[in-house]
Amino acid sequence: MLELVAAAGERLQSDPLPLEVSSGLVEESYQLKRELSSGRGFRVVEGVALCGQRNYSLKFVHGHGVRATKPLDTMQCLHLITSFVGEVFAHPTFVCVVMRWGMHEVDGSHQLAAVIAEAVRLLRELLPSGGQSRYLRLSSSVLQRLLLRMACLDSHLGDSLWLP
């Protein structure tokens, strides 16, 4: 983990650009079809991209509804995001993780969805006023950069912060 944080720190110093977060609605990019699965705090729906007509699995996570039994480490998250996640939509009441078709099964224990929902929650806290009500759209690469920055911040605070 320390090697990852060191590498992320170096990467951040060479890539100090701000995260490019755009706004967007799921309905503007995907046509929602049938429900594939659902449970407490989540729902997975088949979505068809309006441009390109490809099928995707859209996992909707409502509020803080999903809890992972065992958290993933940052490297595992980055690998899964690179392999399966296309983009993320953050609405005021839910987060929608757009995955390659059928790949929602990989996140059956909600570990990846929980990490993404937490990253979006932290991002909203850091946005200027009004960030809570904005409809955000994050690409896979922006999400990866956000998770690396979170890991660096977490490591730095863990090493430097002392609470009595």
Side-chain angles (χ1 to χ4, degrees):
M1 178 66 174
L2 293 175
E3 294 170 1
L4 169 69
V5 173
E10 289 175 18
R11 172 72 193 258
L12 290 176
Q13 297 210 357
S14 67
D15 181 23
L17 297 175
L19 296 175
E20 294 180 23
V21 178
S22 60
S23 60
L25 299 170
V26 176
E27 299 82 17
E28 294 172 347
S29 300
Y30 298 91
Q31 180 182 12
L32 303 181
K33 296 288 188 175
R34 63 189 167 103
E35 185 173 292
L36 301 173
S37 66
S38 64
R40 182 182 164 167
F42 80 96
R43 183 172 67 119
V44 179
V45 176
E46 174 186 3
V48 178
L50 295 177
C51 62
Q53 298 297 313
R54 293 187 63 189
N55 288 24
Y56 293 88
S57 298
L58 279 62
K59 185 169 191 172
F60 292 88
V61 179
H62 303 281
H64 296 289
V66 295
R67 297 281 182 239
T69 54
K70 179 180 137 189
L72 293 173
D73 74 8
T74 306
M75 285 304 292
Q76 291 171 319
C77 287
L78 293 175
H79 173 71
L80 292 173
I81 289 169
T82 302
S83 302
F84 306 124
V85 176
E87 58 187 336
V88 172
F89 291 88
H91 291 228
T93 58
F94 66 85
V95 173
C96 175
V97 182
V98 179
M99 300 181 195
R100 295 164 114 189
W101 177 246
M103 293 300 117
H104 64 282
E105 297 289 339
V106 171
D107 192 34
S109 61
H110 314 299
Q111 293 172 307
L112 183 60
V115 169
I116 292 172
E118 178 64 12
V120 168
R121 185 189 69 74
L122 290 173
L123 179 62
R124 284 190 184 282
E125 286 181 9
L126 296 172
L127 286 174
S129 63
Q132 293 296 325
S133 62
R134 290 183 52 195
Y135 296 89
L136 305 175
R137 182 178 186 175
L138 291 83
S139 68
S140 177
S141 61
V142 168
L143 185 61
Q144 291 172 47
R145 290 175 60 206
L146 176 61
L147 289 174
L148 280 174
R149 290 176 183 197
M150 284 176 48
C152 287
L153 181 61
D154 188 46
S155 174
H156 179 71
L157 288 175
D159 293 344
S160 305
L161 188 64
W162 180 80
L163 296 173

